[in-house]
Each structure stands twice: as structure tokens, then as C-alpha cells.
Amino acid sequence: MAKLIGGITTSHIPAIGNAMASKLEQDPYWKRFFDGYEPVKAWLAEKQPDIAIVVYNDHGLNFFLDKVPTFALGCAKTYENADEGWGLPSATHFEGDEEFSWHLANSLVEQEFDMTTCQEMLVDHGLVVPMGLMWRHLGHWPVKVIPLAVNTVIQPLPSAKRCLDLGKALGKAIASYPEDKKVVIIGTGGLSHQLQGERAGIIDVDYDLECMEHIISDPDWLARQSHSEIIEKAGTEGIEVIMWLVMRGALPDHVTVKHKHYHAPISNTGAGVLLLESPEAT
Amino acid sequence: MAWEEKPYHKIPGTYVFDGKRSANAYKLNKMLFSFNREENRKAYEADPATYADKYGLPADQKEALLKGDFLELLRQGGNIYYMAKLAIPAGFSVQDVGAAFHNIPTDDFKQHLLDQSEDFQKKLKDREGYWHG
Ligand SMILES: [Fe+2]
């Protein structure tokens, strides 16, 4: 049986991708931020997961506004990155796992989450930056990747509660896969940032830390909040934090906190990292 | 016909991207989306007005585009992620764009980011379990 061994959260800011490409890890601006990922990398090296489900939003690479799926699941054999106009070097391709993807799609739709299935899917910095943060030092990707794209770009977005509930359904879907696989789920995006308007540049450290604490022990606190409430605090792009709830919902209620890291500002953003281990890991 | 009012419309200095904005600027965002390709970025750079006309931009949006007025493009319904595909290849950082929205120098905008984050390490120490290096 497949086992969900843990969940990770991380920001996916393009500037991080540029910093990794330029090898700025020891640069004073970046050092504390990158050093805070070392415990996560060590845990991944020890646990050796087979599959990573990466929950992210597409920022206009694979999906244009002509068609916007609320929840889209990659069901392809491989995934390519491409030029998204942001000056990031394109990453090498990612291996998928079609059987596992289609099992998730079947199970999620049975559980009344009507996913869009994608057999061709370009993955943007929302997925590529987190993958680099976890595994770039190896020079290859040691896991099969399952992209799960959430619409956080154009309202109406799924509610925070819907994201948590999708995670719960995903947890059941993973647990019902018959093959022995070790799975991790990575919730990406956030924390507080607003790129647009006269209110651009807000960072709310207090709200970010409240989100991190509640994601661990009381995700319903965040799931109860409306988009307007979250945007008011975390900014228009900070709404991406709803994707952390997908990660959290997939894990059991009781998890072991293996790592908590926060740094601000990174580019325009408060950057948070969580590593939550499930009892399945041991 | 009526566009629904949402609480997020009342947040000052904030333009939450929704159906109403997207409907008003679909052609603009479609043009910005084309900048995923380098040949399109070059074609735009060579002749912005002709490129905008090819996408049928309304006059007011074309004017804001040619003036490089990011705030007006945003108000008209430009999506910030798509606008980045114009701004970043043109040499702007996201901090430059943020500063332009505020009409302040980029260094002041960067200082604003630092000011809000100033005591974050103390806040981490007041809580339990955070990594401190
Ligand atoms: Fe993002």
C-alpha cells in the first residue's frame, strides 16, 4: 500500500529560482533562507520517497485565462518546464507516474472532487522552484512528480475549506493505492505578499506565523477564513496559502513537527517552511 | 446585467483579479500571455503599437501600455502575473514594479519590505520550535 510519509510547505517565489541558478546560496541576503532548508533535505535523503505530489498554481504558462480549471491533476508520463517570460532558466523534465495519477483521479472523482485531468502539462516556477529547493544538489530528480494545480489566479478560487477537504480526499486516495510507494506532499506558495496596486509590498509576519501554527494544529482556523479576509491580511498573492491546506488535509490529524523555518523578506514575500511527518513514516 | 460586489473590492489599493477585470482586459492579457515566447517579446519590442493592434487592444489600454503605466494597466484589468511577462524582460524587478505602483523610488520600496520584517527573528524566538540556524 502507498504511504503518505509527510508533508512539506514552501514558498515558490521566482527570485528563489534565479538565486539557485546563480548559486547565491552563500550570499548574505540568501544564506539564512537557504540554510533553513537543510533539515528538510536531510529528512528527504533519509526517507527516500518515491513520489512527490506538488500542489501549486500555474501563473500563466500551461493555462491561459481561456480555460481555468479549479483543480487540475497531472496524469502524464513526463512534464516539461518552459520559458514563462520571467527570465528563469528552464528546468530539465520531470518524470510522472501515470498509474498513480489515474488512481488519484479515479478516487478523487469518486469522492466528488471533479478534477481536470491533464496528459500534457507544462509546469511553471510554482512547481519547479520547490523541486529545486528539495533536490537540486543531486543533479537529477529522485522522485516521480505528480503536479496538482489549484486556481489561485482568477476569482472565483476554491474556498480555503474546499482546499482542506480536497487534501482529506487526497489522503484517502493515496492510502488506497495498492502498490508499496512512499509519498510526500508539498504545498507551495505564500506566505504574505502583494505584487499589485498601491498596497503592493505588504508583508505581515504576525499573520504568517499564525498561519504556520494553525496549519499544524488547527487548520480549520484558516479553512474558516474567506478569500477577502485572507487577502486583507496576506495580500492578493498571499492567497496562495490556501494550497498549504491541501497538503495539511492529506495528512492525519496528529503529525510530528520536524522543522519550522521562516524568513522575510524574500523578494516581496514572507517565506515559510514546514516539515510535518506522519506516523506512517516510522 | 450586474457585476457582483465582493468584500475584497473594498480593500484599498488592491485589484483582485476576477471575471469583471478579466472580461475588461481579455485581449490585453492575451497579448501579455504571448510574451512567454521570446520571438513575441522581440516583435513587441521592435514595434509595440503594431503588436498591440494585432491583439485588438482598446484605445485606453493601448495608451497605458505604450506609456508604461503599470497602475493604469492594472486598473483596466491587467493581471499582475501576465504583466510580469512584459515588465521583467524589459528589465524591471518586482520591486521596481511595486515602487511604480506606489510612485516611489525602488530603494524606498525595498526599505518598506525590510521595515515590515524588521523584528521577525524576535517574533520567532517568542514562539516555539523555529529554526534559528
Ligand atoms: Fe505564486
Side-chain angles (χ1 to χ4, degrees), chain B residues 75-88:
Chain B
R75 286 180 172 151
Q76 291 277 339
N79 174 282
I80 190 67
Y81 294 130
Y82 291 92
M83 286 166 62
K85 298 174 193 294
L86 169 72
I88 292 173

Side-chain angles (χ1 to χ4, degrees), chain A residues 4-281:
Chain A
L4 181 62
I5 61 170
I8 299 165
T9 66
T10 175
S11 299
H12 61 221
I13 310 160
I16 302 169
N18 280 321
M20 293 189 291
S22 307
K23 304 214 182 305
L24 295 178
E25 284 89 342
Q26 296 303 312
D27 180 275
Y29 180 90
W30 290 103
K31 184 170 169 44
R32 187 181 179 281
F33 168 77
F34 280 114
D35 283 354
Y37 281 80
E38 291 303 321
V40 182
K41 288 157 74 177
W43 183 86
L44 289 167
E46 182 202 326
K47 298 294 177 186
Q48 299 275 328
D50 304 298
I51 294 172
I53 300 170
V54 184
V55 186
Y56 73 107
N57 62 296
D58 182 273
H59 307 73
L61 177 66
N62 190 68
F63 299 114
F64 176 57
L65 300 167
D66 59 337
K67 304 172 194 76
V68 182
T70 300
F71 296 123
L73 185 69
C75 296
K77 198 181 180 72
T78 61
Y79 303 94
E80 301 290 336
N81 180 217
D83 186 352
E84 48 183 308
W86 293 51
L88 289 159
S90 292
T92 55
H93 78 279
F94 301 90
E95 295 284 324
D97 182 330
E98 292 164 295
E99 285 135 298
F100 187 72
S101 282
W102 284 105
H103 167 79
L104 295 182
N106 287 332
S107 172
L108 288 171
V109 175
E110 269 167 32
Q111 296 180 71
E112 301 183 341
F113 283 86
D114 302 327
M115 310 298 288
T116 298
T117 53
C118 303
Q119 292 187 74
E120 284 188 53
M121 193 182 201
L122 293 172
V123 290
D124 80 355
H125 69 267
L127 180 141
V128 172
V129 166
M131 289 296 293
L133 281 164
M134 305 303 149
W135 288 295
R136 71 191 177 289
H137 55 288
L138 297 179
H140 69 279
W141 307 119
V143 288
K144 302 272 177 78
V145 179
I146 312 293
L148 199 171
V150 177
N151 167 33
T152 64
V153 172
I154 179 168
Q155 292 281 353
L157 316 183
S159 70
K161 179 179 181 297
R162 185 71 174 158
C163 289
L164 183 65
D165 289 345
L166 171 65
K168 290 176 185 173
L170 196 56
K172 287 183 189 156
I174 295 163
S176 65
Y177 191 62
E179 220 179 319
D180 286 340
K181 295 282 182 195
K182 284 192 274 185
V183 181
V184 291
I185 181 164
I186 306 176
T188 77
L191 288 167
S192 59
H193 64 304
Q194 176 154 336
L195 301 177
Q196 54 122 306
E198 297 93 326
R199 196 167 168 262
I202 61 158
I203 292 177
D204 190 327
V205 174
D206 296 314
Y207 184 74
D208 287 351
L209 299 184
E210 284 298 309
C211 283
M212 290 183 65
E213 298 302 329
H214 284 97
I215 289 274
I216 295 165
S217 52
D218 180 19
D220 289 327
W221 173 85
L222 185 55
R224 277 194 299 272
Q225 295 181 35
S226 69
H227 295 144
S228 299
E229 288 169 311
I230 298 171
I231 290 169
E232 178 117 45
K233 293 283 191 186
T236 40
E237 286 68 47
I239 193 69
E240 290 176 345
V241 71
I242 63 174
M243 296 186 290
W244 289 28
L245 287 170
V246 180
M247 178 288 302
R248 185 62 185 91
L251 291 169
D253 287 348
H254 295 286
V255 290
T256 307
V257 181
K258 302 296 277 189
H259 186 57
K260 285 200 289 189
H261 173 43
Y262 182 84
H263 193 90
I266 288 296
S267 192
N268 286 17
T269 305
V273 181
L274 290 173
L275 169 56
L276 308 179
E277 188 179 80
S278 87
E280 298 263 42

Side-chain angles (χ1 to χ4, degrees), chain B residues 67-123:
Chain B
K67 277 200 299 194
D69 186 343
F70 292 135
L71 188 56
E72 186 56 25
L73 285 173
L74 185 68
R75 286 180 172 151
Q76 291 277 339
N79 174 282
I80 190 67
Y81 294 130
Y82 291 92
M83 286 166 62
K85 298 174 193 294
L86 169 72
I88 292 173
F92 294 92
S93 69
V94 288
Q95 287 76 39
D96 294 329
V97 174
F101 287 137
H102 286 267
N103 200 17
I104 57 172
T106 299
D107 282 344
D108 291 3
F109 182 78
K110 286 184 176 168
Q111 191 58 49
H112 175 54
L113 297 170
L114 287 168
D115 290 346
Q116 294 169 93
S117 315
E118 198 188 359
D119 51 356
F120 86 89
Q121 295 202 50
K122 182 186 175 298
K123 287 177 175 173

